[in-house]
Amino acid sequence: MLSETKLKALKEISGDFSRDEAVWASGFLAGIAGISAVGQHPITSGADTNAVSPKKITLAYGTETGNSKKLAVELAGILKKKAVQVKLADLSQYKPKDLAKEDLFFIIISTQGEGDPPILAKKFYDHLHENDLDISHLKFGILALGDSSYPLFCKTGEDIDSRFEVLGAQRIIPLKKCDVDYEQDAYSWTEHILDTVNKTAEGSQKSVVTLKTSTARKKYQGKISTIINLNDRDSDKETYHIEIETEEPLVYSPGDALGVIAFNKKEEVEEIISLTGIDPEKQIKTVKLTAGAEELLYKHLNISYLLKTTVAQYAQITGHAIPEVRLSLLDLLRIYPVKRADEFEQFIPALTGQSPRLYSVSSSLEAHGDSVIHITVAKSEFFINDKKQNGLCSGFLAEFKEGEDIEFYIQEAKHFRLPKPEKDVIMIGPGTGIAPFRSFLYERDALGGEGRNWLFFGDRTFVSDFLYQAELQDFLKTGTLTHLDLAFSRDTAEKVYVQHKLEQKAQEVFHWLEAGASLYVCGAREPMSKDVEKTILNIIQDKGKHSLEEAQNYLEELELNGRYVKDVY
């Protein structure tokens, strides 16, 4: 028996061990004692002929926005807990010739725009379709992510699934096509993987993934109680803090997102109806619902930036010769008008549905109560053919007035969760990336967690763009924030970003990671998140005395254990 002091020390050391680390440690201690870790018999050099080798699979992902990767990491964690060895692979770096070395190979991949593969996975996709590979030994399964509002739903997944079959690979799990709400289908797919692995591993017992009961997305009705532009008048940005109050209690956690479907501009819809001559009340059947023409155009259908395939369908119906182009519906009608109202009526079902937009929740139930929720929204501006445009949903939200009604839902984000209250966290969130971390800080402040909190925030200028400045300074004073590092790119001759602040604090950042801190990144995918990840890898290499490959493995292990999490867009 260990003394109470030694037992306490052992528990503190081993508390955060992964399964593999725990197995290694038990073997190490058994070696000291001269016995086997399992049977308590002396260790011999001979192999145990009755041992069952753990089954290995490769889980690859192809991603454009990061959803496929986040899902792959989460599912890999589930599989590892069920004693399945998982090798994660990014299709942007995967060499197709390595398929010859694979046995069980599974892919999670999204479809973009006109049915295209993610840009980073296109090289793999093209090689697969342009070469006759011998993969007859391969057993595979594909999970395809998409949006059924688009005509070529999950096409990339379909293409890879059929191509693998043509090349002789054995499909051991049917193609699973997932819509915007993909979580339940993804867990079901993971259960199929476990069943397959269990059937092919001798003597293993069947593992079960506990699935949530599938439920319809819950809609909340709320009122805008507060809407404030957080930027100073001198700023060239508009970032809105929006508070929504509800009659019924809300259910959400820090890290979750608020989903909203934006309505199109009424004046645009009115002009479309005027140009086409369609009866606003004319009932039209689309893929998802039947409603009046005006209601469909205002609330349910995308009219702002049509797909090339949608424009092509318009050309076919109207007889216009239209080049391959993307236009708003209003511009399309102005340039290539319909001849009769029935032409437009025939075209309406070809329009894609309006997709929901997600915004990280920036409040905490523990701090703000269960009848209010906050979001942080940057009004997006861009140009098409030298014409200034506003982002559909950010423009929609920015125009709300206090007291107006809004409908929304909560999108659960299992991957983006606070660790236990005693664990440290490092948060990197420039711009509106601050939103979930405001939620984290309020939650930890309300619950009195002992874990340390370190925030890296950046924007353009200190005076005009320091979002939630007073609140963050209060968190510093009370000790909820241990460190606050700021990077304002336009305040100095040489631009300073959050990754530069990370470099300056490299030694302490690495110490926090070594001590078990969780690392979170939220904000723009390009270039911020990639620059931050390169910096983190450099820190691990330099301060940990690791090679690049070792640093990549270190970071991947953090990710698999839920200690390196990204929410980027």
Side-chain angles (χ1 to χ4, degrees), residues 247-293:
E247 293 284 339
E248 63 177 312
L250 292 160
V251 178
Y252 69 87
S253 299
D256 286 346
L258 180 147
V260 63
I261 295 181
F263 296 166
N264 294 304
K265 290 184 177 294
K266 276 195 172 179
E267 54 268 29
E268 284 190 23
V269 173
E270 289 169 358
E271 187 172 350
I272 288 168
I273 289 172
S274 175
L275 285 171
T276 60
I278 194 169
D279 177 0
E281 303 301 322
K282 178 72 176 180
Q283 295 292 298
I284 298 174
K285 183 179 180 180
T286 66
V287 174
K288 293 191 173 181
L289 79 160
T290 299

Side-chain angles (χ1 to χ4, degrees), residues 134-147:
D134 180 8
I135 55 173
S136 55
H137 67 288
L138 192 71
K139 301 176 184 68
F140 76 94
I142 309 294
L143 181 71
L145 302 185
D147 184 341

Side-chain angles (χ1 to χ4, degrees), residues 185-358:
D185 284 334
Y187 282 120
S188 176
W189 187 73
T190 308
E191 188 175 46
H192 280 305
I193 293 178
L194 281 167
D195 285 343
T196 302
V197 169
N198 290 330
K199 287 173 184 175
T200 55
E202 292 181 5
S204 65
Q205 296 180 350
K206 182 177 178 181
S207 297
V208 178
V209 177
T210 302
L211 300 177
K212 293 196 321 179
T213 303
S214 181
T215 56
R217 177 189 288 165
K218 178 173 176 54
K219 299 284 182 66
Y220 290 99
Q221 305 298 323
K223 283 187 182 293
I224 304 292
S225 60
T226 302
I227 180 166
I228 302 169
N229 182 1
L230 296 173
N231 298 104
D232 191 80
R233 285 175 296 180
D234 294 333
S235 177
D236 55 1
K237 299 171 69 176
E238 292 179 38
T239 307
Y240 290 90
H241 171 78
I242 300 174
E243 299 183 7
I244 303 169
E245 291 185 357
T246 59
E247 293 284 339
E248 63 177 312
L250 292 160
V251 178
Y252 69 87
S253 299
D256 286 346
L258 180 147
V260 63
I261 295 181
F263 296 166
N264 294 304
K265 290 184 177 294
K266 276 195 172 179
E267 54 268 29
E268 284 190 23
V269 173
E270 289 169 358
E271 187 172 350
I272 288 168
I273 289 172
S274 175
L275 285 171
T276 60
I278 194 169
D279 177 0
E281 303 301 322
K282 178 72 176 180
Q283 295 292 298
I284 298 174
K285 183 179 180 180
T286 66
V287 174
K288 293 191 173 181
L289 79 160
T290 299
E294 185 175 33
E295 181 184 342
L296 287 171
L297 294 170
Y298 177 48
K299 292 184 177 181
H300 304 290
L301 298 176
N302 171 40
I303 66 172
S304 58
Y305 195 40
L306 307 187
L307 295 171
K308 293 176 184 176
T309 50
T310 307
V311 175
Q313 287 178 276
Y314 180 86
Q316 185 177 3
I317 291 169
T318 61
H320 286 295
I322 306 176
E324 192 176 81
V325 68
R326 295 191 68 175
L327 292 168
S328 71
L329 178 58
L330 186 54
D331 286 340
L332 184 65
L333 290 166
R334 285 169 174 165
I335 301 168
Y336 306 100
V338 293
K339 303 177 190 70
R340 303 177 309 277
D342 64 309
E343 282 187 342
F344 185 61
E345 181 183 334
Q346 185 183 347
F347 172 66
I348 286 178
L351 291 167
T352 58
Q354 196 74 281
S355 296
R357 269 60 166 185
L358 297 175

Side-chain angles (χ1 to χ4, degrees), residues 159-188:
D159 290 348
I160 294 177
D161 182 81
S162 60
R163 183 59 180 166
F164 270 19
E165 185 176 39
V166 167
L167 294 173
Q170 179 188 351
R171 183 189 297 105
I172 55 173
I173 298 178
L175 170 69
K176 174 72 78 173
K177 296 196 288 186
C178 301
D179 209 337
V180 176
D181 294 327
Y182 54 75
E183 186 179 76
Q184 185 68 26
D185 284 334
Y187 282 120
S188 176

